[in-house]
Every structure is written in structure tokens, then in C-alpha cells.
Amino acid sequence: MRAWRQFLRAHSYVTRKLESDLETEHRLPLASYDVLVQLSEAPEGALRMNELAEAVLLSRSGLTRLVDRLERDGLVERRSCPSDARGTLATLTSEGRKRLRAASRTHLAGVSKHVTSHFSPDELDKLADLLSRLDRRAPAPQPPGGGCGQGA
């Protein structure tokens, strides 16, 4: 239980610090930053809403509200899935990419300050190996068309 409690404390501490850094410097919550990162790493900067919800670990309703805010801020736009009219894509805009680029400097500095600077390279490798045991999800296959394929 000691390891579990320490893991929870460390996670809470680090996410509070990263959230504070992003809010202070860029008025961007950590969850919004995560959405922008997920979209930037997706093919064509777009994901179906259900894929995005799974990637950022939010409920569909929570993601919908978050994407509503990001859309109002001009960072994300919704568009129909070209190969599946039932699907809606969240797409990173050029303004979203610009905002992500600026915020990523702050985020990476925070990760360094609050996490990686406390460990040697060997310890970081070991930590990554240990934590990878907890994530049993297989990487989701990416259908052609930016996540709009059948069965997605």
C-alpha cells in the first residue's frame, strides 16, 4: 500500500504543478493541453470524438464540453467524417497548433522540473518499464482516412 499511496500522491502533486504552470503561462488547462497533444499526434490532426475521449480518458460528455470550449476558442473544429457520415471528427486548427507549440515549452519544462530531473536516465528507463506493466491497453489500430474507417 505504501507504493500505491506514494504513486497517488506523486501523481496528484505533479498534475497540480503542471496544471498551474499551463494555466498561469497560457490560460490553458491540462486537459485542454492533452486534447491538443492527442490531435497533433493523430493523422491529419484529427480524431473521431470517441477515439479522442478514450485517448484523454474522459467520458464522452466531458469531452464534448471540453471540445465545445476549445472550439469557441478557435483551437479545435468539428467536421463530418468523410467516409462515415455518422462520425464527427475533432480537428486541430492552425491556432490550436500555434497555442500547443507555445504551451509545450512550458509543459516540457514542468515535466523536467517536477519529474525527470529527480531521476537518473537509468532510473527513468526503469520507471517507464515498471509503469508500462499497468497499461494493458493495446495500441488502437488506426483505420485509413484519419480514423473514419468502418467499425471505428
Side-chain angles (χ1 to χ4, degrees):
M1 290 308 294
R2 179 176 160 260
W4 173 243
R5 282 191 220 101
Q6 195 54 49
F7 173 80
L8 290 175
R9 279 190 210 100
H11 177 268
S12 177
Y13 171 79
V14 170
T15 54
R16 277 195 319 266
K17 291 294 189 180
L18 296 176
E19 175 94 33
S20 176
D21 293 348
L22 286 170
E23 284 279 5
T24 300
E25 298 292 322
H26 304 281
R27 295 183 187 259
L28 189 67
L30 186 57
S32 297
Y33 177 83
D34 190 18
V35 166
L36 299 180
V37 167
Q38 297 302 321
L39 292 175
S40 76
E41 294 176 350
E44 300 176 31
L47 286 171
R48 286 179 76 128
M49 292 291 286
N50 63 326
E51 294 170 328
L52 184 56
E54 187 172 317
V56 298
L57 305 176
L58 287 174
S59 67
R60 284 185 184 205
S61 62
L63 179 67
T64 297
R65 289 189 299 273
L66 179 54
V67 170
D68 286 345
R69 286 191 299 274
L70 293 171
E71 194 170 30
R72 274 194 308 272
D73 292 343
L75 306 179
V76 169
E77 64 183 15
R78 286 185 178 96
R79 60 182 168 96
S80 294
C81 200
S83 63
D84 181 357
R86 298 168 297 164
T88 300
L89 294 172
T91 307
L92 188 62
T93 65
S94 58
E95 182 60 30
R97 205 171 287 284
K98 183 175 140 184
R99 187 94 173 267
L100 174 61
R101 199 173 301 116
S104 68
R105 289 189 274 283
T106 300
H107 181 71
L108 293 174
V111 169
S112 176
K113 178 181 179 182
H114 303 300
V115 181
T116 60
S117 67
H118 298 273
F119 301 99
S120 72
D122 287 343
E123 288 172 324
L124 288 170
D125 285 341
K126 184 67 172 176
L127 181 60
D129 290 342
L130 291 169
L131 291 174
S132 71
R133 294 183 198 171
L134 302 178
D135 188 358
R136 299 275 184 207
R137 296 174 296 163
Q142 287 295 320
C148 291
Q150 296 297 338

